[in-house]
Amino acid sequence: MKDQTVFTELPASRSFETDGCIYVSGQGGLDASTGEIVGPDIETQTIATMENIRAILAESGLDLDSIVKVNVYLSDRGLYQKFNEVYGTFFSAPYPARTTIYCDLNYELLVEIDAFAVRRQG
């Protein structure tokens, strides 16, 4: 079992690896160095969210292609199309499995994504 960097303000890890599976905790449109929201629009926040996930996976020697499942949380149903336009630029077929949920998010974020990645053999 390998525990990645721990969030300083929460009793949670940014990611957790066990048996070749990497679980990335929910990431949002926050600047990784300041913790501030990167911008007021879904496009900017989606890019930052995906880049945060990319950086966390890179710490384990993986990339976005290792993701097999994501859960997407959007603050408003009206953001769905613009979110998909940006999100789709980070992946190619076969796309990860995905669930999208609409809900209130912490820190007034527009999007939050958690991911499940697999360290593939060979």
Side-chain angles (χ1 to χ4, degrees):
M1 237 184 313
K2 180 179 174 188
D3 181 15
Q4 299 293 325
T5 306
V6 176
F7 289 131
T8 56
E9 74 279 2
L10 299 174
S13 298
R14 289 179 24 177
S15 68
F16 193 90
E17 181 172 355
T18 183
D19 298 327
C21 298
I22 296 87
Y23 301 87
V24 178
S25 290
Q27 299 298 305
L30 301 173
D31 181 295
S33 60
T34 67
E36 299 292 322
I37 293 177
V38 295
D41 59 274
I42 189 64
E43 296 91 346
T44 304
Q45 288 193 27
T46 300
I47 291 167
T49 300
M50 293 304 299
E51 291 300 339
N52 289 341
I53 292 170
R54 184 192 317 264
I56 291 168
L57 289 173
E59 292 171 3
S60 295
L62 300 174
D63 58 25
L64 295 176
D65 290 335
S66 63
I67 295 175
V68 296
K69 171 72 166 88
V70 297
N71 293 310
V72 175
Y73 306 89
L74 294 175
S75 65
D76 187 299
R77 223 176 261 280
L79 300 173
Y80 188 72
Q81 182 176 349
K82 287 183 180 180
F83 166 78
N84 276 316
E85 290 171 8
V86 175
Y87 175 86
T89 65
F90 285 90
F91 297 102
S92 57
Y95 301 101
R98 186 177 104 185
T99 300
T100 303
I101 300 164
Y102 304 100
C103 61
D104 288 331
L105 296 172
N106 291 324
Y107 314 111
E108 299 181 19
L109 290 170
L110 301 177
V111 61
E112 183 173 335
I113 301 173
D114 62 63
F116 173 71
V118 176
R119 187 178 303 282
R120 297 190 173 113
Q121 302 298 325

